[in-house]
């Protein structure tokens, strides 16, 4: 019995180590460049760690059972009738219920934090049309630009609109995606945390030129942003 448990645990730990290496060594997500994406990645890791634990446990029991209680080749008899195990059934209902609720609560907290606009966010309107983005800075005399320039560390509220068909505003490094739909306005909040250039992509098939509907997002220091805006206003 003792030896069996040790073997079972060893199999489970082995599977867990392999899965952890797969999760850690491969780069599954883009590098985060926003506070919002940081929170989303924390949530992904929380769910991933739980998944690795559950998968290792279940797979270890299956592998151990198949290996340990395999029927001999010439054994055609039915197995002994068993009723089941009430304690185990309660356990494997209660534990997943708690874990799913925990993931749900964590998700709700991240969603609430990512949806809360702080004091005076920078307002940027992202207008989608076949096949380009136009960004308008309503805080600065409606300065418009095909390139998205943002100051580091300041919360930005994107208001999405579309001229013709449905488009979807997506900067993979900001971690969020939002449809731009004709007739309504939608919004997301982004707080850039990393200087550099990032791709703005249309993530909704919007016609023949969909694949070319790309723009550049540039996150710069606040002073550089002010200078860029002034130059545009002039
Ligand atoms: Cu589009």
């Amino acid at each position: 019995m003792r030896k069996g448990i040790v073997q079972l645990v060893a199999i489970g730990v082995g599977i867990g180590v392999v899965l952890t290496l797969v999760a850690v060594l491969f780069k599954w997500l883009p590098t985060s460049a926003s506070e919002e994406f940081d929170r989303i990645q924390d949530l992904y890791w929380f769910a991933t760690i739980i998944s690795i634990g559950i998968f290792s446990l279940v797979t270890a029991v299956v592998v151990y059972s198949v290996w340990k209680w395999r029927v001999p080749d010439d054994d055609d008899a039915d197995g002994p009738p068993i009723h089941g195990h009430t304690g185990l059934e309660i356990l494997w209902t209660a534990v997943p219920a708690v874990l799913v609720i925990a993931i749900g609560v964590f998700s709700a907290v991240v969603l609430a934090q990512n949806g809360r606009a702080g004091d005076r966010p920078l307002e940027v309107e992202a207008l989608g049309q076949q096949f380009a983005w136009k960004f308008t800075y309503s805080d600065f005399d409606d300065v418009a630009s095909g390139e998205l320039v943002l100051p580091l560390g300041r919360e930005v509220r994107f208001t999405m609109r579309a001229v013709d068909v449905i488009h979807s505003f997506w900067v993979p490094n900001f971690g969020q995606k939002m449809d731009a739909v004709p007739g309504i306005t939608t919004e997301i909040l982004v707080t850039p945390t990393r200087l550099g250039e990032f791709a703005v992509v249309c993530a909704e098939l919007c016609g023949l030129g969909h694949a070319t509907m790309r723009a550049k997002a540039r996150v710069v220091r606040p002073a550089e942003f002010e200078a860029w805006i002034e130059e545009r206003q002039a």
Side-chain angles (χ1 to χ4, degrees), residues 167 202 204 206 210 213:
H167 302 274
C202 177
E204 184 74 66
C206 59
H210 167 67
M213 190 165 165

Side-chain angles (χ1 to χ4, degrees), residues 129-131 133 165-168 202-207 210 213:
Q129 63 178 330
Q130 291 169 321
F131 296 99
W133 291 104
V165 297
I166 302 176
H167 302 274
S168 185
C202 177
E204 184 74 66
L205 183 58
C206 59
H210 167 67
M213 190 165 165

Side-chain angles (χ1 to χ4, degrees), residues 4 14-15 17 24 50 63 68-69 74 76 85 98 120 127 135-136 139-141 158 160 196 206-207 224:
I15 294 168
V17 167
V24 173
I50 290 174
V63 169
K68 207 72 182 174
W69 292 300
D74 54 353
D76 293 332
H85 193 295
V98 169
R120 254 183 49 74
L127 182 71
F135 304 102
T136 306
D139 296 334
F140 301 95
D141 309 330
F158 286 100
M160 256 70 67
C206 59
E224 215 176 311

Side-chain angles (χ1 to χ4, degrees), residues 66-148:
V66 168
W67 164 57
K68 207 72 182 174
W69 292 300
R70 188 159 43 92
V71 276
D73 285 342
D74 54 353
D75 183 358
D76 293 332
D78 291 337
I82 46 169
H83 168 66
H85 193 295
T86 309
L88 263 183
E89 286 175 19
I90 291 173
L91 193 71
W92 72 49
T93 306
V95 171
V98 169
L99 293 178
V100 169
I101 290 168
I103 294 174
V105 169
F106 196 158
S107 305
V109 169
V110 169
L111 204 57
Q113 286 176 331
N114 282 359
R116 195 182 304 137
D119 279 350
R120 254 183 49 74
L122 175 68
E123 302 283 352
V124 178
E125 185 197 272
L127 182 71
Q129 63 178 330
Q130 291 169 321
F131 296 99
W133 291 104
K134 189 173 108 184
F135 304 102
T136 306
Y137 296 77
S138 51
D139 296 334
F140 301 95
D141 309 330
D142 286 344
V143 162
S145 166
E147 182 194 34
L148 177 61

